[in-house]
Every structure is written in structure tokens, then in C-alpha cells.
Amino acid sequence: MRVICSSAGFAGATLLGEVRKGGVPPSEGGMKCRKCGGRAAIELRRHNAAFCADDFLEFFQKQTLEAIRKWKMFSREDPVLIAVSGGKDSLALWDVLLQEEYETTGLYLDLGIFDYSKVSKAKCEAFALDRGAKLVIVPVEEEVGASIPSVKQVTHRPTCSACGLSKRYLLNKVARERGCAVVVTGHNLDDEAATLLGSVLHWQTEAMARQAPVLPVTHEMLVKRVKPLFRLTERETATYAFLRGIDYVVEECPFSTDAVSLFYKELLNQLEERSPGSKHNFYLGFLDRARPAFEKLDSVPLTACLRCGQTTTGEICAFCRLADSVKRKLSAVSHQPSAPGTEQ
Amino acid sequence: MRVICSSAGFAGATLLGEVRKGGVPPSEGGMKCRKCGGRAAIELRRHNAAFCADDFLEFFQKQTLEAIRKWKMFSREDPVLIAVSGGKDSLALWDVLLQEEYETTGLYLDLGIFDYSKVSKAKCEAFALDRGAKLVIVPVEEEVGASIPSVKQVTHRPTCSACGLSKRYLLNKVARERGCAVVVTGHNLDDEAATLLGSVLHWQTEAMARQAPVLPVTHEMLVKRVKPLFRLTERETATYAFLRGIDYVVEECPFSTDAVSLFYKELLNQLEERSPGSKHNFYLGFLDRARPAFEKLDSVPLTACLRCGQTTTGEICAFCRLADSVKRKLSAVSHQPSAPGTEQ
């Protein structure tokens, strides 16, 4: 674990140049800002509005702070742990929280995914250094026993499943260790709508009952989890990051290229293109009118894992079982004499 | 209203040739029938199976009859009114019911939609004539006061909305007049999944509570409505119609070309292509696990329309108000002196 503290200045033109490669072009032609009447930098069709750069930044910040306030996510006094991946969403969110002087600690989970992890870690480090923010880096390999790409090779568990499990577990663990009452993640409207679409297509009603901008504490070992960007789209967070000169990793995780979540996002983009506001209506309408119907379904009771003390529905939690499995397999491999032709 | 009775033989080669234009090609290459091992005519990826023509027809019939039995839709003694549009679904369904000697009367609602209605009416007439089946033809213009294309011009109500309203109303009215206890429609899995997707995207929970293969009688003036094809896809009904030599209208209604329902079907087809069985899981999972949660919501009480006696949630039902509006506007137009340049 490593903590970086610095008070270096805000990243400027160079970073903007880098982000421009994959970022969203801010100019949309001759439209006018809804607020000041100046030249608009971004059109928000779903709001039937356009904003200049400054007013868009204010809009974005207001939406985020309003979500935190309205959903009682946390106060300025609460020490919060913000999960940062090096992507636009988590860094944009951290940027808003830092400007508003929330008490944040960034957590970067180093998944060990080749160059993708190296680059994204460097972006988080540079971001924290520039802003004098506190960043904790946890190599997942130290906790699980193997890097995320190696987990599949030794356990045959799907990569994204092992990764998601490890992230959820470690976020909670690190938050508790550091005395943070809240874990903040950068999930945006596109993420939430895609997750919901996946649940709806299979009517996974338990998952639907659990999906919300605030996941309350249902066990003493669990830390509250909140998603302040749930009303802002991927395009909006990209624009915010671009306009604020945030240098983020543009590439998606190499394991996600065929992920069904990206396919759902593509379907939702087709809907949004045909009918602006579709994602918003789908997710916000769910929270408002449908989720209560599923909440009533019985939830499985949680107990403490006999091994690590974090929550589980059985005796040993899924993370401990994963780590055990990795250790067993790696130990078996290291004790096996290498035979030619048996490599995979 | 007109009734056609005939006992002419089954349509043969000529009809097959016609259907081929827009129908589904029955050959899928070198696959084998799951049942007899012979050359397969259709592959059903969602069932991980392929069938020869005869065994597919048997599969289709079984699925339909099983739905009627399991969902207690109607018995062989019940006189049923089947709504036929001249399309593949309703004619395929009627074909199954006639073969099984159910007591059916076909109802063709003549919407007066230009050539589309002329062609589809002719297909229904030929189908009934060939099979000696009872067909009732009701010109919607006589009931509403104007044909469907004219309704929009005089009332500015969207065409598809006026059409849907008129169809639901007249199906119930004609069924009651003819002593039919049940109205049968040819809605297939694609139709139902697209309707559900539309409701889910807007979380129209009342519509979701009402969507089911059997709509029970909730008022003495309402006739039970059932959809025996709800487990069969559009592609499967097209194949059935093709293999049975049913001559159906291939064209979609000209007013539906930009309909959002077709867009939803296209999205669902993308899902089905990526993951066969998606439509089935989405709709059947809804019926099984989600619909009960919405059924509990309070429904609006129905009363008898003061004008026609059919059901309404107000005093005068929506159909009577539509017909009133048409009559008022047409009467105003006929009393107005024509002025140059005021035509629309």
C-alpha cells in the first residue's frame, strides 16, 4: 500500500492535448448557452439545452452535489473513500469533490492488467500529485494471490467475475481499515442504465432490488456505497473531464472489449439517439416507480465470513474462496515437475 | 358486415410462390431434424434445435395448443372470435385452430388503409373460402364515421392510437354481439417482447400489470382476450405460414413504418442474434418473476359507458368520444363554404 501526497498545480495545456485524442469535442457549432447566451460548448439534447464551457462545468457540479445532498450520500465532515480507475468518470467525480473540499481519499486497485493498469495507475498518480490529494494504491495481486489476468488461468473463473468480486471486497475492506464511512464510485447514468437493462432482460429481481444510487449498510461489516454521478451520462463526464483538463485513460479494459455491458450500452445509445432522455427515463423511472415493487422481496441474510470477518451468505466469503483457490492452484503448479508439452 | 362461408380446398403451389417473396426461406443447409434425423427445414437457435418441415409444423402446433391448455384460454366447445389482419400471425393461428376443429369465427376489421387494407382483406377472404371458415368483415368507417387514414385528418389524434383504440373496442363489441366468450389474437413473442420493452423503458407499471397471454374478464361487458402464439417468434410464424402454404400479406401497415414498436423489435433482434433465447427469457421471465410485483398495484375501476354500454374509466368511453369527434368535425367541414387556399 502506498500513499502519495502533493500540492502541485493544476494540469494544463499538455494534458488537454492528450485528452483530446479520445475525448469529446466540446464545440457543437453555432448554438447558444442556455444560461449566458454565449457560444455553446456542448449540446445536451436530453435536456433540450446547450451550455458554454463554464456553465456546463457549473451544471455538472450542481448535478453531482445535488445528488449527494438529495440522496443523503455523505456530508463534508465524512471521510470518504473514492474508488479511482484512472478513467474519466472517477477522476471527474474526484475533481468535483476536491473542489468542494470534501474529505476524500482516492483508492486505486492495481489489477495488474498489463499496460492498461500501468497507464491508468500513472494517470491516478499524476491527478493526485497535481491536486495534492491523498491516493492509496493496493495491488490486487497481494490480496488475491495473483493478478487479475492470472486468476482465470489458475481458477478458470471468468476474468470479469473475479475482478468485480475482488473490487467490491477490497473497496469495503480498505474503507473500513482507513475509517471511511462511505465508498464513492464513479458509476454514471450509462453504467447504471446498462446494468439495469441486463437485469431487466433476465428479470434478475434480486439484483434489481439492490441497484440504487445509495446502497445502505445492511451489516455492521459493510460500508455505505454511493454513486453521485448516476444522473450524468458518459458523454457528460467525458466533456467535464475534457473541459477541466483532466488527463484520463481513454482505452477500455482489454478484457471488456466483448463484454455484454458494452453491448447494452450500444443498445441504449441507439435508443437515446432516437429519443433523447431515454436512458434517464429508464433508470430514474425505475428508481421512482419500479424498484419499490422489488424491494419487498426477501433478501438473503448476511453473516460474517469465518475467515476474514467481512460479509457472506455462507460460511466462507467468495473472496476468501477465490484467494484460497488461487493459492492452492499456484502451490500445486510450483510443486509439479515441468513436463514438455504440458504448457497451456 | 359480411359473412363468407365456403368449403373450398387448401391453397397449393401458387400461393407458396407468392409467399416466397417475403417469407422465410425454409432451408438452412445440412442440419438434421432433431426428431426424425431427416434434412432440417428450419433451425431454432433459441431451442438449440432444427426440424424438418413436418416436425416443425408439429412443434408449432404443439406449442400453440399447449399454450391454450396450460393458460386455460378456451376449450373446444367455446365459440371464439379470432381477429385476422391478413398477416402471417393471425392466419397461421387460425390455421392451427381450424385443423384442431376449434369453433372459430374470423373477424377482419377493414381499416380502410388504401391498398394495404384491400390486399389484406382479400387474403383473409381467400383463406376463409379455401378452408370453409366463417369470416366476418366489419368496415371501421361504418363504426367510427371515417376510415383510419381520415381520422387523423379530422381529429388530429395520432393514426396508430385511433386505430388501436378502434380495434380493441370493436373486437370486444363484435365478440359480444356474436356470443363469443373469447377474443383470440395472433400476437407473437416478438410483439409481446417489444410491447414489454416499451413499457419497461418508461416503467409504465400499469401497462405491465395488464400485459399477459390471458386478459381476464374484469367487467361484465368485457370479453376474455387471449394470445396463443405468445411463445412463438415472428420468424417461426412466418415459417409455419410458408410451410403450410398460407398466402398472407407480407407488407407492414404503411402507418407503421416509423413506429417505435418496429424499432424495439430491431433492438430485440440484435439481442437475440447475440444471445439466442433473449426474447423468450425477457418475456417469459417477466410473466414468471416480475409481473406479480406490478399486479398488486391498484387498478382503476371500470364502469359502463353512458352512450354504448362498453367499459370506460370515465362517463363516455374513448371510442364514443372518438366517433363523436369525427362526426362533429366532418359535419363542420360539410357546412363550411369552401374557400380557396384553406385546404390542407
Side-chain angles (χ1 to χ4, degrees):
Chain A
M1 230 178 251
R2 198 146 50 95
V3 179
I4 299 171
C5 283
S6 159
S7 58
F10 181 69
T14 321
L15 286 181
L16 263 171
E18 285 236 330
V19 180
R20 205 166 267 144
K21 283 179 204 162
V24 170
S27 173
E28 295 274 346
M31 303 195 74
K32 284 185 179 170
C33 173
R34 171 201 269 186
K35 219 168 155 199
C36 71
R39 186 187 167 88
I42 179 171
E43 183 193 2
L44 302 184
R45 284 179 66 205
R46 71 191 180 106
H47 291 292
N48 200 19
F51 289 107
C52 70
D54 282 350
D55 287 328
F56 173 74
L57 292 175
E58 193 188 314
F59 161 84
F60 189 94
Q61 286 155 352
K62 271 197 175 168
Q63 288 271 319
T64 309
L65 299 175
E66 180 68 10
I68 293 171
R69 191 193 61 76
K70 197 174 161 195
W71 287 77
K72 298 183 177 61
M73 292 182 175
F74 48 87
S75 72
R76 276 188 175 68
E77 288 71 45
D78 293 324
V80 301
L81 187 74
I82 175 165
V84 287
S85 65
K88 61 190 184 314
D89 305 305
S90 52
L91 293 186
L93 175 56
W94 201 7
D95 184 70
V96 173
L97 298 183
L98 287 170
Q99 282 187 81
E100 291 292 319
E101 299 184 351
Y102 279 94
E103 199 188 325
T104 61
T105 299
L107 169 63
Y108 177 79
L109 294 174
D110 186 349
L111 306 163
I113 302 178
F114 322 120
D115 280 352
Y116 171 74
S117 284
K118 284 182 197 148
V119 173
S120 56
K121 186 169 75 176
K123 305 278 188 198
C124 292
E125 287 173 327
F127 181 96
L129 203 67
D130 282 338
R131 286 156 181 81
K134 204 161 29 163
L135 177 69
V136 177
I137 296 178
V138 174
V140 171
E141 187 165 358
E142 282 179 13
E143 305 285 331
V144 182
S147 69
I148 291 298
S150 313
V151 167
K152 192 187 175 187
Q153 288 167 29
V154 291
T155 67
H156 302 292
R157 185 178 181 130
T159 308
C160 298
S161 150
C163 184
L165 164 65
S166 304
K167 285 197 284 198
R168 281 190 302 277
Y169 180 90
L170 293 172
L171 280 177
N172 195 69
K173 182 170 176 255
V174 176
R176 284 183 52 80
E177 286 169 358
R178 306 212 145 239
C180 294
V182 186
V183 166
V184 185
T185 61
H187 292 92
N188 60 38
L189 180 57
D190 293 63
D191 296 326
E192 293 302 296
T195 300
L196 178 60
L197 183 59
S199 299
V200 160
L201 289 171
H202 300 91
W203 293 103
Q204 291 159 332
T205 52
E206 281 183 27
M208 290 165 76
R210 279 196 308 266
Q211 194 182 356
V214 174
L215 299 180
V217 177
T218 54
H219 187 278
E220 55 174 8
M221 292 297 283
L222 281 181
V223 169
K224 187 178 178 185
R225 275 188 292 159
V226 302
K227 305 168 186 175
L229 300 185
F230 77 99
R231 294 195 299 186
L232 291 154
T233 65
E234 203 159 284
R235 184 168 161 267
E236 287 155 18
T237 61
T239 306
Y240 178 87
F242 175 80
L243 293 174
R244 286 282 293 159
I246 295 170
D247 185 21
Y248 62 87
V249 60
V250 173
E251 288 72 32
E252 297 278 352
C253 167
F255 288 107
S256 77
T257 49
D258 196 39
V260 72
S261 58
L262 292 184
F263 178 63
Y264 294 149
K265 282 187 179 177
E266 164 53 27
L267 292 183
L268 290 164
N269 281 338
Q270 291 179 44
L271 272 162
E272 188 74 20
E273 178 65 29
R274 182 180 166 112
S275 176
S278 291
K279 289 174 199 172
H280 178 103
N281 293 339
F282 177 49
Y283 186 56
L284 278 287
F286 164 73
L287 294 178
D288 186 37
R289 296 190 294 283
R291 191 172 171 272
F294 296 110
E295 253 184 320
K296 290 164 201 152
L297 301 167
D298 288 339
S299 57
V300 187
L302 294 176
T303 55
C305 169
L306 295 176
R307 184 81 48 86
C308 71
Q310 289 217 71
T311 55
T312 175
T313 54
E315 294 196 334
I316 306 291
C317 78
F319 182 84
C320 285
R321 281 183 281 130
L322 174 71
D324 277 357
S325 166
V326 169
K327 274 166 211 151
R328 227 175 17 249
K329 295 285 168 55
L330 288 180
S331 141
V333 169
S334 67
H335 287 94
Q336 228 174 22
S338 64
T342 56
E343 277 182 297
Q344 282 199 331
Chain B
M1 230 179 253
R2 200 146 48 95
V3 179
I4 299 169
C5 284
S6 159
S7 58
F10 180 71
T14 322
L15 287 182
L16 263 171
E18 285 233 332
V19 181
R20 205 167 270 145
K21 284 179 207 161
V24 170
S27 174
E28 296 275 346
M31 301 195 73
K32 285 185 177 172
C33 172
R34 171 201 266 185
K35 216 166 159 201
C36 72
R39 187 187 165 89
I42 179 170
E43 184 193 3
L44 302 184
R45 283 180 67 205
R46 71 192 179 106
H47 292 292
N48 200 19
F51 289 107
C52 71
D54 283 349
D55 287 327
F56 172 75
L57 292 174
E58 194 187 311
F59 160 85
F60 188 94
Q61 287 156 352
K62 269 195 175 169
Q63 287 272 319
T64 309
L65 300 174
E66 180 68 9
I68 294 170
R69 191 194 60 76
K70 196 174 161 195
W71 286 76
K72 297 182 177 63
M73 292 182 174
F74 49 87
S75 72
R76 276 187 175 69
E77 290 70 44
D78 293 324
V80 301
L81 187 75
I82 174 166
V84 287
S85 64
K88 60 190 184 317
D89 305 305
S90 52
L91 293 185
L93 175 56
W94 201 7
D95 184 72
V96 172
L97 298 182
L98 288 169
Q99 281 187 81
E100 290 292 318
E101 300 183 350
Y102 279 94
E103 200 187 322
T104 61
T105 298
L107 169 63
Y108 177 80
L109 294 175
D110 187 348
L111 306 164
I113 302 178
F114 321 119
D115 280 352
Y116 171 74
S117 284
K118 284 182 196 147
V119 173
S120 57
K121 185 168 78 174
K123 304 280 187 196
C124 291
E125 287 173 327
F127 181 98
L129 203 68
D130 282 339
R131 288 157 179 80
K134 206 164 25 166
L135 177 69
V136 178
I137 295 177
V138 175
V140 170
E141 186 165 358
E142 283 179 13
E143 306 284 330
V144 182
S147 69
I148 291 298
S150 312
V151 167
K152 191 186 173 187
Q153 288 167 29
V154 292
T155 67
H156 301 290
R157 186 179 180 130
T159 309
C160 297
S161 150
C163 183
L165 164 65
S166 304
K167 284 196 284 196
R168 281 191 302 277
Y169 180 91
L170 293 171
L171 280 177
N172 195 69
K173 181 170 177 255
V174 175
R176 283 183 52 80
E177 286 169 357
R178 305 209 145 240
C180 293
V182 186
V183 165
V184 186
T185 59
H187 291 91
N188 60 39
L189 179 57
D190 292 61
D191 297 325
E192 293 301 297
T195 300
L196 178 60
L197 183 59
S199 300
V200 161
L201 289 171
H202 301 90
W203 292 104
Q204 292 159 330
T205 53
E206 280 184 27
M208 289 166 76
R210 279 197 307 267
Q211 193 181 357
V214 175
L215 299 179
V217 178
T218 53
H219 187 277
E220 56 177 6
M221 291 297 283
L222 281 181
V223 169
K224 185 179 178 184
R225 276 188 291 159
V226 301
K227 306 167 184 175
L229 299 186
F230 77 99
R231 295 195 298 185
L232 291 154
T233 65
E234 202 159 285
R235 183 166 163 267
E236 287 156 16
T237 61
T239 305
Y240 179 88
F242 175 82
L243 294 174
R244 285 283 294 160
I246 295 170
D247 185 21
Y248 62 87
V249 60
V250 174
E251 289 72 32
E252 297 280 353
C253 167
F255 288 106
S256 77
T257 49
D258 195 39
V260 71
S261 58
L262 293 184
F263 177 64
Y264 293 150
K265 282 187 180 178
E266 165 52 26
L267 292 183
L268 289 164
N269 282 338
Q270 291 179 44
L271 271 163
E272 187 74 19
E273 180 64 29
R274 182 180 164 112
S275 176
S278 292
K279 291 175 198 172
H280 179 103
N281 293 340
F282 177 49
Y283 186 57
L284 278 287
F286 164 73
L287 295 178
D288 187 35
R289 294 189 296 283
R291 191 173 171 274
F294 297 109
E295 251 184 322
K296 290 163 202 155
L297 301 166
D298 287 342
S299 57
V300 187
L302 294 175
T303 56
C305 169
L306 295 175
R307 184 82 48 87
C308 72
Q310 289 217 71
T311 54
T312 176
T313 54
E315 294 197 335
I316 306 292
C317 78
F319 182 84
C320 285
R321 281 183 280 130
L322 174 72
D324 277 357
S325 166
V326 169
K327 273 166 213 152
R328 222 170 26 244
K329 296 285 166 59
L330 287 181
S331 143
V333 169
S334 68
H335 287 94
Q336 225 173 19
S338 64
T342 56
E343 273 183 300
Q344 285 203 324

